[in-house]
Amino acid sequence: MSVYDDTSHNYRCSICGLPTTQPRNWAYRPHGSQYDAYLSKEGCSKLEKQTKWWSDIRLLHDPGDEVDKLCADIAMPDADRTPLEPGAVRADIQEYEARWVSTGIFYFVTAGGITTVDMAGRHSDHDRAYIPAHAICIGMAKRVFSSTKSYLRDMRGLWTALRWRYGIERKHSDFNHGANYTLVDNEFYMPSWSWWFDSLEAEHNLFYRLQIACAGWPGPSDDIPLVNYVHTFGSNPLEIENLTENILLNIRECRRNAPLDREAEAFRGRLNSLPAELSDAICAEISSPRDLPRITTRILPQSFWKNLLKARTALPWLWDIDLDLIDTKAAEPCPGGSDFEWNWELLVRQLSRGVDFGIRADGPRPPHYRYDRFSETNRSTEWFRTCTGYSDDLAHVPAGLHNRRRIWQLLEEMFVGDRLPHPNEFHRESREHCLVMPWTKSGDIADEPTWVPSIWNKHLYRMIGGRICEIENLEWFDRPESQYWQASRQLGQGLAEIAPVGEIYEVLRKKGYPV
């Protein structure tokens, strides 16, 4: 039994995208004895310990079936669609401790007996929606609700956001997509679970060799991709060994009272001349930083940045950082002597960094088609993608820290309606009025419903840094059809003019999408 066979049809966690069960056998042997030594017994035990949290699953459920009643297009097939009573109290979202069985089937036990849930809808004991997520991911969501950067504020909002995605996914039986309102699926900011499985074929396949050369996932192993995959994307995001100690190993020293450049000196002078309440308000604006440039300005004193790190609210995913260890490090003299001080500004800027996943800017360009119809080879852009995150800036990144930052970012960015329907899922063409949206981004019922459009986007891919690009030299059968606002713009021979990404973004911005 291989890891891939164990998980290829497994419905993943709807929040983080990882499997909802541990593989039964970490010792992968796909083609015989030549792979028997791929992982040692000790290596298998370590991976099993790192991924034990995958199996701790909760099934979320809304006993009031609000989505089924307000949005018929994504309702369960046999759901009760009795209209909601005006002013009715919205039911609390239920969490059931569940177990994965096989092929996307879960079960949970209540006083009434055992309930079986099939995410594909073929073998369920019910006609209502349940959505699986790791218990740890749900716990992190409850922390994110208090973040100033989060759209979602409670379990009702989380449920509605996940239920919206699930309703769209059921239309094409292709589950576990993330947000795609930027026109390309975010894919949970990680490579597919089968990536390391494919990489075992590297010695036989040119494209897999490219994949190995380009990806370079960070981790402790020089030759076993699976070890690095789990270290970076799959380790327990709560139980991070020696978190503060590892973070503080990255702090550097800088020269004390180093001269500023002219622009920085002028800005500091203007800041210092402001009334105290105004300068405090300006400093408060960076009290919850995200993705700050990793270049120090030295305009604010190092003590400001140290206190920002200690506040815990600035980088809220570091809620368990040890304040005493920070003070101990701050009191420690710098190796360079009294003319130097600890560069807390650079460390905070590095820790504010988010995660990213996309096509490498310095690697080979992706192929202009995704499937070679002649050799039946899946030439996906997967082979040209990589991730960025803490390991790009920090030398010491303990197992679980990248994963914690990844899940926190996924939750902060999540909102109701963050997945756009594809035209083929509900209608055969792009439409401005594709799905009714009765909720706000946070999951409250809106005063007036709006409409979510369907957009052609299969011809696009994402570069590291967020730039969305068109696949070049598209064959006629891979070209998108007209978007709903450009039906009359034809190029001749029945071909539609491809709408530029900037034009699509302008349309989405007018509809309230953060692009």
Side-chain angles (χ1 to χ4, degrees):
M1 174 66 72
S2 74
V3 180
Y4 182 73
D5 290 337
D6 256 1
T7 57
S8 60
H9 300 293
N10 176 16
Y11 198 97
R12 299 175 292 163
C13 170
S14 57
I15 293 175
C16 77
L18 286 167
T20 47
T21 184
Q22 281 186 289
R24 290 191 290 272
N25 185 0
W26 277 110
Y28 187 82
R29 302 180 180 89
H31 297 298
S33 59
Q34 70 267 36
Y35 290 104
D36 285 353
Y38 179 68
L39 280 174
S40 66
K41 183 176 180 180
E42 293 76 15
C44 292
S45 298
K46 184 176 181 180
L47 292 179
E48 183 177 359
K49 180 180 179 181
Q50 284 180 292
T51 59
K52 185 178 180 180
W53 66 282
W54 292 2
S55 300
D56 189 6
I57 299 300
R58 300 293 183 271
L59 286 179
L60 301 178
H61 175 64
D62 176 16
D65 296 322
E66 179 182 278
V67 172
D68 298 273
K69 295 174 180 178
L70 293 182
C71 191
D73 283 332
I74 61 173
M76 297 293 284
D78 300 315
D80 176 12
R81 299 179 189 174
T82 304
L84 293 176
E85 294 290 335
V89 177
R90 305 169 87 187
D92 292 335
I93 301 303
Q94 297 173 340
E95 302 174 32
Y96 295 103
E97 185 175 350
R99 299 290 294 177
W100 174 85
V101 181
S102 66
T103 323
I105 299 176
F106 301 83
Y107 75 87
F108 63 90
V109 180
T110 63
I114 298 175
T115 298
T116 301
V117 176
D118 180 0
M119 300 308 298
R122 292 185 294 269
H123 307 290
S124 293
D125 296 336
H126 65 92
D127 54 6
R128 307 173 76 183
Y130 292 81
I131 297 179
H134 295 127
I136 280 179
C137 292
I138 294 173
M140 285 187 63
K142 293 175 181 178
R143 290 182 178 273
V144 173
F145 295 154
S146 61
S147 167
T148 59
K149 306 294 185 180
S150 175
Y151 292 97
L152 307 179
R153 297 299 177 195
D154 51 34
M155 286 299 294
R156 166 62 60 178
L158 176 67
W159 164 262
T160 308
L162 297 177
R163 178 66 181 84
W164 173 269
R165 292 182 186 178
Y166 178 53
I168 293 176
E169 291 166 353
R170 283 183 59 86
K171 289 293 182 178
H172 52 73
S173 300
D174 188 11
F175 300 116
N176 282 131
H177 284 299
N180 73 346
Y181 64 91
T182 62
L183 301 183
V184 176
D185 198 315
N186 68 14
E187 301 185 77
F188 301 99
Y189 297 118
M190 68 176 186
S192 66
W193 167 242
S194 63
W195 176 88
W196 72 270
F197 163 81
D198 295 335
S199 70
L200 292 175
E201 301 288 344
E203 64 181 278
H204 306 296
N205 190 296
L206 168 63
F207 295 109
Y208 291 153
R209 289 203 297 274
L210 285 172
Q211 183 182 11
I212 291 291
C214 293
W217 314 123
S221 177
D222 294 329
D223 56 359
I224 304 180
L226 171 59
V227 171
N228 290 350
Y229 183 104
V230 172
H231 175 92
T232 302
F233 305 105
S235 294
N236 191 319
L238 291 192
E239 299 175 4
I240 301 177
E241 188 174 0
N242 298 324
L243 171 66
T244 309
E245 292 90 336
N246 276 288
I247 287 176
L248 293 177
L249 287 174
N250 296 290
I251 194 167
R252 307 174 192 174
E253 63 180 5
C254 62
R255 187 168 293 277
R256 192 188 301 271
N257 299 322
L260 302 178
D261 61 43
R262 182 178 302 176
E263 183 178 353
E265 186 67 55
F267 182 85
R268 175 190 275 180
R270 291 193 298 271
L271 183 64
N272 290 338
S273 66
L274 291 174
E277 60 271 18
L278 287 181
S279 60
D280 289 345
I282 292 173
C283 292
E285 285 297 310
I286 58 171
S287 63
S288 188
R290 301 292 185 274
D291 269 318
L292 293 176
R294 267 73 71 188
I295 300 175
T296 58
T297 64
R298 302 192 303 277
I299 293 174
L300 295 171
Q302 294 296 336
S303 59
F304 169 85
W305 297 97
K306 183 195 73 172
N307 292 334
L308 199 62
L309 179 60
K310 290 179 62 177
R312 289 179 174 156
T313 55
L315 306 173
W317 53 93
L318 299 178
W319 65 82
D320 49 350
I321 198 166
D322 191 318
L323 306 186
D324 291 336
L325 288 179
I326 293 176
D327 287 334
T328 300
K329 185 65 180 179
E332 183 181 305
C334 293
S338 59
D339 290 339
F340 289 83
E341 61 183 339
W342 295 115
N343 198 340
W344 296 101
E345 178 183 0
L346 178 60
L347 183 62
V348 169
R349 287 175 175 274
Q350 291 170 333
L351 291 173
S352 76
R353 180 173 191 152
V355 302
D356 200 0
F357 182 59
I359 302 293
R360 293 172 58 107
D362 58 346
R365 298 298 297 273
H368 67 273
Y369 47 84
R370 294 172 180 267
Y371 188 82
D372 187 332
R373 289 165 171 78
F374 300 101
S375 63
E376 297 186 355
T377 301
N378 180 12
R379 300 180 64 178
S380 168
T381 55
E382 179 84 22
W383 299 314
F384 302 86
R385 294 187 292 185
T386 190
C387 70
T388 57
Y390 282 152
S391 294
D392 292 87
D393 294 321
L394 304 175
H396 304 277
V397 182
L401 182 56
H402 179 103
N403 200 31
R404 180 189 288 192
R405 183 69 183 95
R406 180 182 72 89
I407 296 171
W408 192 279
Q409 182 172 320
L410 286 168
L411 285 162
E412 277 194 336
E413 294 176 352
M414 187 184 299
F415 59 87
V416 179
D418 63 4
R419 183 158 192 87
L420 298 172
H422 192 260
N424 285 338
E425 292 164 351
F426 293 89
H427 307 283
R428 303 187 69 176
E429 71 283 342
S430 171
R431 290 194 179 188
E432 180 176 13
H433 294 173
C434 181
L435 292 179
V436 67
M437 172 55 69
W439 303 277
T440 65
K441 287 183 175 61
S442 63
D444 297 325
I445 297 178
D447 295 333
E448 293 291 336
T450 55
W451 286 93
V452 172
S454 55
I455 302 291
W456 294 103
N457 62 355
K458 299 292 186 181
H459 62 298
L460 302 172
Y461 64 90
R462 186 179 193 276
M463 299 288 292
I464 285 289
R467 186 163 64 93
I468 306 299
C469 304
E470 296 177 7
I471 296 175
E472 298 178 354
N473 304 317
L474 287 167
E475 301 287 354
W476 65 269
F477 40 72
D478 286 327
R479 291 177 62 89
E481 297 182 27
S482 298
Q483 307 292 358
Y484 66 82
W485 64 88
Q486 56 164 185
S488 61
R489 289 154 54 179
Q490 300 292 320
L491 298 179
Q493 299 179 338
L495 295 179
E497 178 183 341
I498 298 177
V501 172
E503 181 178 305
I504 301 174
Y505 271 10
E506 182 61 29
V507 169
L508 293 177
R509 275 194 290 270
K510 291 178 179 178
K511 295 183 176 296
Y513 282 90
V515 293

